[in-house]
Amino acid sequence: MRSHYCGDINKSHLGQEVTLVGWVNRSRDLGGVVFLDLRDREGLVQVVYDPDLKDVFDIACTLRSEFCVQVKGIVHARPDSQVNSQMKTGEIEILGKQLTVINASAPLPLSMDNYQNNSEEQRLKYRYLDLRRPEMAERIMFRAKVTSSVRRFLDSNGFLDIETPILTKATPEGARDYLVPSRTYKGQFFALPQSPQLFKQLLMMSGFDRYYQIVKCFRDEDLRADRQPEFTQIDIETSFMSSEQVMEKTEQMMRGLFQDLLNVDLGEFPRMSYAEAMKRYGSDKPDLRNPLELVDIADLVKDVEFAVFNGPANDVEGRVAALRIPTGASLSRKQIDDYTKYAGIYGAKGLAWMKINDLAAGMDGIQSPVLKFLNEPIVNDIISRTGAQTGDIILFGADKANVVAEAMGALRLKAGEDFKLLEGQWRPMWVVDFPMFEKINGGFHAVHHPFTAPRGISAEQLAADPGVAISDAYDMVLNGCELGGGSVRIHNAEMQSTVFDILGIEAEEANEKFGFLLEALRYGTPPHAGLAFGLDRIIMLMTGASSIRDVMAFPKTTTAACPLTNAPGFANPVQLAELGIAVVEKVKTEE
Amino acid sequence: MRSHYCGDINKSHLGQEVTLVGWVNRSRDLGGVVFLDLRDREGLVQVVYDPDLKDVFDIACTLRSEFCVQVKGIVHARPDSQVNSQMKTGEIEILGKQLTVINASAPLPLSMDNYQNNSEEQRLKYRYLDLRRPEMAERIMFRAKVTSSVRRFLDSNGFLDIETPILTKATPEGARDYLVPSRTYKGQFFALPQSPQLFKQLLMMSGFDRYYQIVKCFRDEDLRADRQPEFTQIDIETSFMSSEQVMEKTEQMMRGLFQDLLNVDLGEFPRMSYAEAMKRYGSDKPDLRNPLELVDIADLVKDVEFAVFNGPANDVEGRVAALRIPTGASLSRKQIDDYTKYAGIYGAKGLAWMKINDLAAGMDGIQSPVLKFLNEPIVNDIISRTGAQTGDIILFGADKANVVAEAMGALRLKAGEDFKLLEGQWRPMWVVDFPMFEKINGGFHAVHHPFTAPRGISAEQLAADPGVAISDAYDMVLNGCELGGGSVRIHNAEMQSTVFDILGIEAEEANEKFGFLLEALRYGTPPHAGLAFGLDRIIMLMTGASSIRDVMAFPKTTTAACPLTNAPGFANPVQLAELGIAVVEKVKTEE
């Protein structure tokens, strides 16, 4: 029905007759000539109908937005004065010779031009219309290009695309599982996978050596802007490769992706230990575009007569850190109060600060509510260590180390945005050398997951002092977002049992949940390592979208509903009886 | 850890030192020399350890099956007498210089050599070991090659890989849905998709023009050998393409697949109408390798004094068909009884037959329990129409047309196998011109699905006589298996409502289930058409596997359980409470 896509017509087609199909993006009668902007997935082209061809012109006059039409016409060059350099097809127009309305459109239930006026709910209910907007369509098409590029890279590097089950057993990621009642085994349930973690490890045990899958994963969690009940991972696992080799290979993949699709050279990704990232940026996923850094000053304030500082400074779990914001002395009292509130969200109990109004004026040039606790040598040391200049402000965080990191890390990001300090467009990195465990309420928890191998120690050494063990794990971070993370996995049963012990997973529970994995580890399991990328987040970053909803064709609302299909819905009582379950509570939560 | 895959070593590596990792496939001490067959996913290679290197030799002597080891050694040519032409690496062997046991293996819980002795349950419980068998591993690797080839074809033809939801609303395919309880909307459920049918149609309404997805689909049906609760479709949809164009494009894809991966030229696929297929083969998915054909003889037996024949022969819904089996006169009474029983499975109430013992002997050469009802001219007409020769048998089916087609179609297949009549290895075809509806218990049912467009008639014409309408649908058939099927879809609301009416779907029900589709049809929906292939079945055919379980990495049993992970399992009562559901019946069905 077509000879070309609309968006593909250009000067090389001058004089040719073309047949196009698409949607009326806009149609205007200007001085007795109808100008039709015809749209398909590849772009817009202008079609002109003049009254000489009366029958055709009359049809053109009836066109309204979003009619689906077929156009035949001759490609002409636009007069110089009408060339539109903003438009891919802006040098030409089609002189319309025929026009067929394939399917009319009723007036639209949402605005295509001023889409900002459409509520999120409307956009999702009429998703098929919202996706007609070029901005949305381009993101979905870009996504297809990304997956295609990733697949080509992995295929050509010997990775095998292998499917793992969706109906499976509860997985160990710790979030809430979606359950699926079994009909054959009444009273029992499948779980939808939070990731194919165990299956990909089993595939390595089978000897497939290099696996990948672009795969749906599921978490029944309360949603935030960048979370969806179902999301997509680029899931990778390899045998006989070190963490170094996995990082190298996947970095190469990501570099290729940015090169192919955005013409961006990401360069080599710097590596940074978890400890250094927390120290300098207060985050395990630092945004390196932001030049601000935290500076530790506990040693300087150990002896000041100010409990807020000297408490944490003398506490082995405490931390006192300074953050210098260039030109920040311009902040008003109100703005500093706002920063204090913001830090409070992340657990900071207050926010000490120091303005460097005039460096040359010595202590007279310094303004700070805590100045009375600090003497000149300390102030000078702080200024010198932070590199503060006249006109800067220094913010202080003093608390447990994790609170300082979180609050000062958040302030660092906020100040970077507020003062427009971000440098460079793309700043990838690897964060490595994570601790194996973190202590929460006196118990150890896995920082990655319970299958992550420690780096360079035996099971006995790990058991002896789990708190200091470093894992052989790695996270790829871009512009402060974690794109993906992975690790070398444990490949022998003794180490795996030791980790379960440390995590307080009883032998019986371990056996019930992961017995098949422990069993599988007994039969010549190869060393293996892998990684999973969050595809939705990668696309979101690459397209500059503000939500992962905007890079998925059919996302759900923040209450995990689909206004388009009205899912979820009530079930047929007969089917519930077949499944051996009953609804005990019917509450329709308001959105 | 490796320089090469085991299976890749050949004479071009002679004299080189190589480092290999893999599993001990077999290890034998033959006359003081250890011969180790080392296996990885690419194949086997023979490594030889002799006692000169005592330390290494001693390790080699400890090897047992399925140990994971690293080998360093020099590639040597095998002596001529030891060249193994059955083996990819049979011209060389590795002279082992180093040997590291990476991970030992406990004695295996199932046999790798005599895998026929392993029960299906054992094979699934230790799937990771069963998948180490080269036969199984090769199928899974072949599958990855198929999906890669399909994606390359579709990507390069402008098809966009777009993901559709897994958590969605009950879909219209008619099989039982898997349900997923919603936590936010207690008492309500998502359904897992039986196909992305409606979403792919919505994507066409959005203007994406060409869509594909290799996607998991779900049906909670009682399982047979070639069914699994989750299976994979190559799902395709296009806009502005006719059924002809869709067939041409997908036929090209399938031809490319067979050419690339099996080096087989499928040639152009013949087309056959549903009516002709039923008439000649008693099947809507004829196996064209089988030369046998049904021959209609109702006109010949209209007036015989045998109610079994003359009843159906004079019934507008009846049919009398003959099936000639060359050399079939050799069948014993017992064998004919078995055929009769077999036909009975498909609803035939008996099986009349006629042996042509000696064509030259006239009626004396004919042996048949129904001979008394037939006179010589009728017998001669039957012989001439079926082309029967001396030594053949003719089987008769007389009943309602659908019973005759099913029973005689089944006999045709059985006889084709029994008498080894199959010709050619690959016989693809298209079946087209299906009826829109079939009448079951007085009501119309969609032969494809309710979104299939009729061919060349208006909504009024369709409503006037639904029983005769032909759909614009097509099935791709290979060797008697349906590889995939599709249709042109309805693209206007009036036609869609008419079809819902004919199917007896009340306006309210239609609105509740498909309201969003009917609404979407109002806004300039393009003409669209598509197709879905069953990936598992394609792989099964291409690899010669006897079950789709053998081409899936982690399939379920016929009772939809996973002996490996023990899924499904009991749920945490807290989680059930959060979901607002309760288990009302706990029955552990025996397998």
Side-chain angles (χ1 to χ4, degrees):
Chain A
M1 290 182 73
R2 63 153 74 86
S3 63
H4 300 78
Y5 281 114
C6 299
D8 290 345
I9 308 285
N10 57 44
K11 282 186 123 173
S12 75
H13 303 101
L14 287 183
Q16 288 183 24
E17 184 182 272
V18 295
T19 307
L20 307 174
V21 283
W23 287 265
V24 175
N25 200 61
R26 195 157 62 147
S27 179
R28 291 155 300 164
D29 185 338
L30 294 180
V33 176
V34 171
F35 288 89
L36 158 64
D37 285 346
L38 187 66
R39 188 191 69 236
D40 65 20
R41 77 178 204 196
E42 300 298 330
L44 289 168
V45 70
Q46 178 169 288
V47 188
V48 183
Y49 288 99
D50 67 38
D52 297 352
L53 288 168
K54 184 162 181 329
D55 290 356
V56 178
F57 182 78
D58 287 349
I59 300 173
C61 289
T62 68
L63 296 180
R64 290 197 315 268
S65 275
E66 301 304 320
F67 275 33
C68 179
V69 299
Q70 185 184 46
V71 161
K72 268 188 214 232
I74 311 292
V75 182
H76 278 236
R78 292 198 195 186
D80 281 353
S81 64
Q82 290 175 28
V83 166
N84 181 345
S85 63
Q86 301 299 303
M87 211 170 156
K88 225 167 97 186
T89 61
E91 294 189 305
I92 56 92
E93 61 189 11
I94 314 284
L95 203 59
K97 296 296 182 196
Q98 286 183 40
L99 177 58
T100 310
V101 174
I102 296 173
N103 219 342
S105 174
L108 299 185
L110 79 180
S111 167
M112 298 297 276
D113 294 330
N114 302 304
Y115 70 93
Q116 298 87 344
N117 297 341
N118 304 322
S119 71
E120 189 70 16
E121 178 88 9
Q122 271 182 304
R123 287 180 60 199
L124 293 177
K125 182 171 165 66
Y126 298 101
R127 189 64 167 179
Y128 49 93
L129 296 177
D130 195 43
L131 288 173
R132 285 188 187 173
R133 288 194 296 116
E135 185 186 33
M136 288 299 289
E138 277 159 22
R139 286 179 187 143
I140 302 299
M141 291 195 284
F142 186 86
R143 183 178 178 120
K145 280 187 192 155
V146 168
T147 51
S148 177
S149 168
V150 165
R151 289 180 185 284
R152 273 197 309 276
F153 176 86
L154 292 170
D155 285 349
S156 66
N157 278 274
F159 289 83
L160 300 166
D161 180 6
I162 303 178
E163 293 177 75
T164 54
I166 298 291
L167 293 170
T168 181
K169 193 152 184 190
T171 42
E173 281 74 7
R176 203 184 281 109
D177 286 315
Y178 277 104
L179 297 184
V180 182
S182 160
R183 187 170 51 87
T184 330
Y185 297 88
K186 290 189 181 39
Q188 298 192 39
F189 296 82
F190 297 99
L192 303 183
Q194 295 182 36
S195 89
Q197 181 64 32
L198 295 181
F199 288 106
K200 68 178 177 174
Q201 292 193 233
L202 291 172
L203 288 172
M204 294 304 101
M205 297 171 189
S206 294
F208 286 106
D209 202 66
R210 293 185 176 193
Y211 145 94
Y212 84 97
Q213 196 181 187
I214 298 184
V215 61
K216 280 278 177 71
C217 303
F218 305 84
R219 291 187 190 185
D220 187 9
E221 291 295 319
D222 299 319
L223 305 181
R224 298 183 309 221
D226 61 343
R227 275 203 193 155
Q228 280 280 314
E230 52 184 295
F231 55 97
T232 305
Q233 270 183 201
I234 305 171
D235 198 45
I236 290 173
E237 195 78 8
T238 72
S239 296
F240 307 111
M241 277 170 78
S242 64
S243 45
E244 244 344 286
Q245 290 170 314
V246 172
M247 283 191 274
E248 194 180 308
K249 192 58 87 182
T250 52
E251 180 178 323
Q252 194 187 342
M253 177 182 99
M254 199 55 66
R255 217 166 19 233
L257 193 60
F258 274 73
Q259 190 68 65
D260 287 357
L261 298 188
L262 297 178
N263 200 24
V264 163
D265 178 7
L266 288 181
E268 207 162 300
F269 297 11
R271 309 277 170 90
M272 187 178 290
S273 72
Y274 171 85
E276 185 181 352
M278 294 307 281
K279 195 166 142 60
R280 291 171 60 189
Y281 304 108
S283 169
D284 61 358
K285 42 179 197 278
D287 186 346
L288 296 186
R289 294 174 305 172
N290 182 332
L292 302 183
E293 293 196 18
L294 309 189
V295 173
D296 277 288
I297 57 158
D299 58 316
L300 302 181
V301 296
K302 265 189 147 81
D303 302 320
V304 300
E305 305 250 324
F306 180 40
V308 169
F309 279 9
N310 71 26
N314 289 292
D315 177 358
V316 65
E317 291 179 4
R319 182 175 180 190
V320 185
L323 176 69
R324 168 200 166 217
I325 307 174
T327 77
S330 62
L331 286 173
S332 68
R333 198 60 192 238
K334 166 82 174 65
Q335 288 171 315
I336 294 178
D337 284 350
D338 288 346
Y339 272 62
T340 308
K341 274 184 207 144
Y342 189 74
I345 298 171
Y346 298 90
K349 287 184 288 283
L351 183 66
W353 53 269
M354 181 189 285
K355 285 187 179 177
I356 319 299
N357 291 326
D358 183 357
L359 202 52
M363 287 296 268
D364 290 343
I366 306 297
Q367 177 193 1
S368 168
V370 299
L371 199 58
K372 56 179 174 280
F373 303 117
L374 309 173
N375 60 29
E376 188 158 2
I378 295 180
V379 169
N380 285 339
D381 281 349
I382 292 172
I383 288 173
S384 126
R385 197 174 288 181
T386 58
Q389 304 291 325
T390 294
D392 294 353
I393 194 171
I394 299 170
L395 307 178
F396 298 98
D399 208 315
K400 295 284 176 197
N402 59 338
V403 174
V404 170
E406 206 166 333
M408 297 304 281
L411 281 179
R412 173 184 169 269
L413 292 181
K414 183 169 165 52
E417 297 278 352
D418 291 351
F419 286 83
K420 302 195 190 323
L421 299 173
L422 302 200
E423 295 164 359
Q425 199 181 355
W426 303 109
R427 292 295 301 275
M429 68 183 300
W430 286 104
V431 178
V432 296
D433 294 344
F434 289 84
M436 276 290 281
F437 307 104
E438 54 186 344
K439 214 158 190 167
I440 303 176
N441 300 329
F444 284 113
H445 291 254
V447 168
H448 275 77
H449 55 55
F451 313 105
T452 301
R455 182 189 283 269
I457 55 173
S458 67
E460 295 85 53
Q461 290 169 311
L462 181 66
D465 193 355
V468 303
I470 295 295
S471 70
D472 207 351
Y474 32 81
D475 278 2
M476 187 189 282
V477 171
L478 177 66
N479 295 357
C481 288
E482 185 195 325
L483 295 187
S487 62
V488 173
R489 323 301 184 184
I490 294 168
H491 72 283
N492 74 70
E494 188 200 355
M495 181 68 88
Q496 189 64 67
S497 296
T498 302
V499 168
F500 286 157
D501 277 353
I502 293 168
L503 294 173
I505 302 176
E506 305 284 338
E508 195 183 345
E509 184 190 353
N511 217 46
E512 154 66 16
K513 277 191 178 169
F514 310 120
F516 65 99
L517 183 79
L518 289 170
E519 170 84 358
L521 287 168
R522 300 174 60 223
Y523 304 113
T525 295
H528 56 292
L531 190 139
F533 289 103
L535 177 66
D536 309 293
R537 203 178 287 172
I538 291 175
I539 313 282
M540 183 174 87
L541 277 181
M542 291 181 84
T543 60
S546 54
S547 159
I548 60 168
R549 278 199 303 276
D550 284 347
V551 300
M552 299 174 136
F554 300 103
K556 302 222 166 30
T557 63
T558 47
T559 59
C562 173
L564 169 63
T565 59
N566 277 325
F570 292 103
N572 180 332
V574 175
Q575 194 174 357
L576 294 185
E578 281 184 320
L579 296 172
I581 60 169
V583 168
V584 293
E585 193 183 352
K586 295 193 188 188
V587 180
K588 174 106 171 65
T589 304
E590 291 298 319
E591 288 194 28
Chain B
M1 291 182 72
R2 64 155 71 86
S3 62
H4 300 79
Y5 281 114
C6 298
D8 290 346
I9 308 286
N10 56 43
K11 282 185 122 171
S12 74
H13 304 101
L14 287 183
Q16 288 183 26
E17 184 183 273
V18 295
T19 307
L20 307 174
V21 283
W23 287 264
V24 175
N25 200 62
R26 196 158 61 149
S27 180
R28 292 157 298 165
D29 186 337
L30 293 181
V33 175
V34 172
F35 288 88
L36 158 63
D37 284 345
L38 187 66
R39 186 191 71 236
D40 66 19
R41 76 177 205 196
E42 300 299 330
L44 289 167
V45 71
Q46 179 169 288
V47 189
V48 184
Y49 288 99
D50 67 40
D52 297 351
L53 288 168
K54 184 164 182 326
D55 290 357
V56 177
F57 182 79
D58 287 349
I59 300 173
C61 289
T62 69
L63 295 180
R64 291 197 313 269
S65 275
E66 301 305 320
F67 275 33
C68 179
V69 300
Q70 185 184 47
V71 161
K72 267 188 216 230
I74 311 291
V75 182
H76 277 237
R78 293 198 194 185
D80 280 353
S81 64
Q82 290 175 29
V83 166
N84 181 345
S85 62
Q86 302 298 304
M87 210 172 157
K88 226 167 97 187
T89 61
E91 294 188 306
I92 57 93
E93 61 189 11
I94 315 283
L95 202 59
K97 297 294 182 198
Q98 287 183 39
L99 176 59
T100 311
V101 174
I102 296 173
N103 218 341
S105 174
L108 299 185
L110 78 180
S111 167
M112 298 298 276
D113 293 330
N114 301 305
Y115 70 93
Q116 298 87 344
N117 297 343
N118 304 321
S119 69
E120 188 70 17
E121 179 86 9
Q122 272 182 305
R123 287 181 58 200
L124 293 177
K125 181 169 165 68
Y126 299 101
R127 189 66 168 176
Y128 48 92
L129 296 178
D130 195 43
L131 288 173
R132 285 188 188 174
R133 289 195 294 117
E135 186 186 34
M136 288 300 288
E138 277 159 21
R139 286 180 187 142
I140 302 299
M141 291 196 284
F142 186 87
R143 183 177 177 121
K145 281 188 192 152
V146 168
T147 52
S148 177
S149 168
V150 164
R151 289 180 185 283
R152 274 197 309 276
F153 176 85
L154 292 170
D155 285 350
S156 66
N157 278 273
F159 288 83
L160 301 166
D161 180 5
I162 304 178
E163 293 177 75
T164 54
I166 298 290
L167 294 170
T168 181
K169 193 153 184 190
T171 42
E173 281 75 5
R176 203 185 281 107
D177 287 314
Y178 277 103
L179 297 184
V180 182
S182 160
R183 187 171 50 88
T184 331
Y185 298 87
K186 290 188 179 43
Q188 298 192 40
F189 296 81
F190 297 99
L192 303 184
Q194 295 182 34
S195 89
Q197 182 64 31
L198 295 180
F199 288 107
K200 68 178 177 173
Q201 292 193 234
L202 291 171
L203 288 172
M204 294 304 102
M205 296 171 189
S206 294
F208 286 106
D209 205 66
R210 293 185 176 193
Y211 145 94
Y212 85 96
Q213 196 181 184
I214 297 183
V215 62
K216 280 279 176 71
C217 302
F218 305 85
R219 291 187 191 185
D220 187 9
E221 292 294 322
D222 298 319
L223 305 181
R224 297 184 310 221
D226 61 343
R227 275 201 193 157
Q228 280 280 313
E230 51 184 295
F231 56 97
T232 305
Q233 270 184 201
I234 306 171
D235 198 44
I236 290 174
E237 196 78 7
T238 72
S239 295
F240 306 112
M241 276 170 79
S242 64
S243 44
E244 247 339 289
Q245 290 169 314
V246 172
M247 284 191 274
E248 194 180 309
K249 190 59 86 183
T250 51
E251 181 178 322
Q252 194 187 341
M253 178 181 98
M254 198 57 64
R255 217 165 19 233
L257 193 59
F258 273 74
Q259 189 68 66
D260 288 357
L261 298 188
L262 297 179
N263 201 24
V264 163
D265 179 7
L266 289 182
E268 207 163 300
F269 297 11
R271 311 274 171 91
M272 188 178 290
S273 73
Y274 171 86
E276 185 181 350
M278 295 306 282
K279 197 168 141 56
R280 292 171 58 188
Y281 304 108
S283 169
D284 61 358
K285 41 178 198 279
D287 185 346
L288 295 187
R289 293 173 306 172
N290 182 332
L292 303 182
E293 294 197 17
L294 309 189
V295 172
D296 278 286
I297 57 158
D299 57 317
L300 303 180
V301 296
K302 264 190 148 79
D303 302 321
V304 300
E305 305 250 325
F306 181 40
V308 169
F309 279 10
N310 71 26
N314 288 292
D315 177 357
V316 64
E317 291 179 4
R319 182 175 180 189
V320 185
L323 177 70
R324 167 199 166 217
I325 307 174
T327 76
S330 62
L331 287 172
S332 68
R333 198 60 192 240
K334 166 83 175 60
Q335 289 171 313
I336 294 178
D337 284 349
D338 289 345
Y339 274 61
T340 308
K341 274 184 205 142
Y342 189 74
I345 298 172
Y346 299 90
K349 288 185 288 282
L351 184 65
W353 53 269
M354 182 189 285
K355 285 188 180 176
I356 318 299
N357 291 327
D358 183 357
L359 202 52
M363 290 294 269
D364 291 343
I366 306 297
Q367 178 193 358
S368 169
V370 299
L371 200 59
K372 55 179 175 274
F373 304 115
L374 309 174
N375 59 30
E376 188 159 4
I378 293 179
V379 168
N380 285 339
D381 281 350
I382 291 172
I383 288 174
S384 126
R385 198 174 285 180
T386 57
Q389 305 291 324
T390 294
D392 294 353
I393 194 170
I394 301 171
L395 307 178
F396 299 98
D399 208 314
K400 294 284 177 198
N402 59 339
V403 173
V404 170
E406 206 166 334
M408 298 303 281
L411 281 180
R412 172 183 170 270
L413 292 180
K414 182 168 166 53
E417 297 278 353
D418 291 351
F419 287 83
K420 303 197 191 322
L421 300 173
L422 302 200
E423 296 163 357
Q425 199 181 354
W426 302 107
R427 294 294 301 274
M429 69 183 301
W430 287 103
V431 178
V432 296
D433 295 343
F434 289 84
M436 277 289 281
F437 306 105
E438 55 187 342
K439 213 158 192 169
I440 302 176
N441 301 328
F444 284 114
H445 291 255
V447 168
H448 276 76
H449 55 54
F451 313 105
T452 301
R455 183 189 282 268
I457 56 171
S458 67
E460 295 86 53
Q461 290 169 310
L462 181 66
D465 194 356
V468 304
I470 296 294
S471 70
D472 207 351
Y474 32 80
D475 278 2
M476 187 189 282
V477 172
L478 177 66
N479 295 358
C481 287
E482 185 196 324
L483 295 187
S487 62
V488 172
R489 323 301 184 184
I490 294 168
H491 72 283
N492 75 69
E494 187 200 355
M495 180 69 88
Q496 190 63 69
S497 295
T498 302
V499 168
F500 286 157
D501 276 354
I502 292 168
L503 293 173
I505 303 176
E506 305 284 338
E508 198 184 342
E509 185 192 353
N511 216 46
E512 155 65 18
K513 278 192 178 167
F514 311 120
F516 65 99
L517 183 80
L518 290 170
E519 170 84 359
L521 287 167
R522 300 173 61 222
Y523 304 113
T525 295
H528 57 292
L531 191 138
F533 288 103
L535 177 66
D536 310 293
R537 202 177 291 171
I538 290 174
I539 313 283
M540 183 175 86
L541 279 180
M542 291 181 83
T543 59
S546 56
S547 158
I548 60 169
R549 278 199 302 275
D550 284 347
V551 299
M552 298 174 136
F554 300 103
K556 301 221 167 30
T557 64
T558 47
T559 60
C562 174
L564 169 63
T565 59
N566 277 326
F570 292 104
N572 181 332
V574 175
Q575 194 174 358
L576 294 185
E578 281 185 318
L579 296 172
I581 62 170
V583 168
V584 293
E585 193 183 352
K586 295 193 188 188
V587 180
K588 174 108 173 61
T589 304
E590 290 301 316
E591 287 191 33

